[in-house]
Amino acid sequence: MAEPERQLAPGVAPKRRRFSLHYELIGCALHGHALVGVDAAKVRPEDGAVARVVGSLRWHRCLRCDAWLWVPEPESPTSELLPARADIELPMRGRPLRDRYVLRLIAIDRAIHVLVLSILAIVVFVVAAHEATLRADFTRIITDLQGSGPASRHQHGFLGEVQKAFSLSHGSLYALGGAAIAYAALEGVEMVGLWRARRWAEYLTFIATILLLPIEIYELTGRISALKIITLIINLAIAIYLLLAKRLFGIRGGDAYERAERAHDLGWGPIERATPPV
């Protein structure tokens, strides 16, 4: 196939432009450009928002990232004309697309929590069911490890945490396992709601995150670790994003402004606003 002659795409000026990253570019990198009518035989002037003929070249516009791509005319077209606007399924773009990616990242974070909490609950229930045997085995292992050393040698770190767990009563272990299961269920509800971009899930996630922040800060007063600091930073970022960017509890215009923003970035309106003149 012959290379196209050097002609500028619609709306491109012959000058350097500063590169800026948009969520639309991520979408196109993952799913490919959203082009329509590439198999149509003709491009009409009224199709200028999605496809144009400039000189001897035919350009199609990505409806997600607004890039104009040179597309050769089809040798065996499957349709005479480009589809009507009512028949074109527009991809998500703008703020709704940004929110989808951010909310799904938070949902993935919640999925990790569900997995960890579920494993913790299983371990706790197993320990509770075989408490006497496991406590005796653990005590024997610790004794062998310590030898003639001081008894406080393994009070810190992983073995120290296990030792604290075995110091709990039978009922306390079951209560701990039940709490882990309940919290995993809560995180699971958040995960599903955020993945599906439900407004109630944003409120639920914000409230659950805020309630845990004082506990996480208090834990840092005892012993500081990189994992605790990273967890606190992530939860703070999630809470700030949900409160400000998603306008919860009436902040920055509240739900009404949130819906207005989404409507502004959906449909043919933003595509028309970004369409270069003929």
Side-chain angles (χ1 to χ4, degrees):
M1 181 182 299
E3 290 292 329
E5 56 189 271
R6 292 184 59 82
Q7 294 180 10
L8 293 175
V12 176
K15 62 180 181 182
R16 294 178 60 87
R17 290 190 171 189
R18 183 187 301 175
F19 174 80
S20 58
L21 179 63
H22 300 281
Y23 287 92
E24 290 82 2
L25 298 179
I26 299 176
C28 289
L30 294 174
H31 308 292
H33 289 293
L35 307 178
V36 296
V38 295
D39 56 349
K42 297 180 181 179
V43 173
R44 301 165 297 175
E46 53 264 39
D47 299 321
V50 296
R52 295 181 182 182
V53 176
V54 180
S56 60
L57 300 182
R58 179 166 160 173
W59 299 87
H60 285 257
R61 182 246 198 96
C62 175
L63 298 179
R64 183 185 295 110
C65 72
D66 293 327
W68 288 86
L69 307 174
W70 171 76
V71 177
E73 294 186 9
E75 297 180 358
S76 302
T78 58
S79 62
E80 182 67 18
L81 303 174
L82 271 72
R85 288 193 176 187
D87 300 326
I88 298 176
E89 183 178 356
L90 295 177
M92 191 174 289
R93 50 185 285 159
R95 293 180 185 88
L97 182 62
R98 177 205 67 183
D99 293 341
R100 166 179 283 185
Y101 284 125
V102 176
L103 291 177
R104 289 191 171 183
L105 280 177
I106 301 175
I108 293 173
D109 173 75
R110 292 308 188 249
I112 296 173
H113 291 182
V114 171
L115 178 61
V116 172
L117 288 168
S118 299
I119 294 175
L120 174 62
I122 293 173
V123 171
V124 170
F125 285 135
V126 169
V127 170
H130 305 83
E131 179 186 4
T133 303
L134 291 175
R135 178 181 284 127
D137 291 341
F138 178 76
T139 302
R140 178 177 53 79
I141 293 172
I142 290 298
T143 302
D144 293 341
L145 288 174
Q146 288 178 337
S148 60
S152 61
R153 181 178 172 184
H154 293 288
Q155 289 182 355
H156 301 289
F158 174 73
L159 291 179
E161 296 300 324
V162 176
Q163 192 170 7
K164 290 178 183 178
F166 278 119
S167 67
L168 296 175
S169 66
H170 191 73
S172 297
L173 286 172
Y174 276 110
L176 178 61
I181 287 293
Y183 191 47
L186 173 63
E187 297 272 23
V189 172
E190 294 177 29
M191 174 191 67
V192 174
L194 291 172
W195 190 268
R196 301 178 66 182
R198 296 295 187 260
R199 187 67 168 168
W200 58 263
E202 298 169 5
Y203 281 95
L204 178 61
T205 303
F206 175 81
I207 294 173
T209 303
I210 285 296
L211 291 177
L212 285 178
L213 287 179
I215 300 175
E216 295 173 354
I217 295 174
Y218 175 76
E219 288 181 349
L220 287 175
T221 62
R223 187 162 63 94
I224 297 177
S225 67
L227 180 60
K228 291 180 180 179
I229 294 175
I230 293 173
T231 301
L232 178 60
I233 292 174
I234 291 175
N235 286 334
L236 276 174
I238 290 173
I240 292 172
Y241 168 79
L242 292 174
L243 183 64
L244 299 181
K246 299 300 293 177
R247 306 173 187 272
L248 301 183
F249 304 103
I251 299 294
R252 302 178 62 216
D255 292 352
Y257 203 92
E258 166 77 6
R259 290 192 296 269
E261 275 193 331
R262 291 181 63 85
H264 182 269
D265 289 343
L266 294 175
W268 285 96
I271 295 178
E272 290 287 359
R273 291 191 295 271
T275 300
V278 179

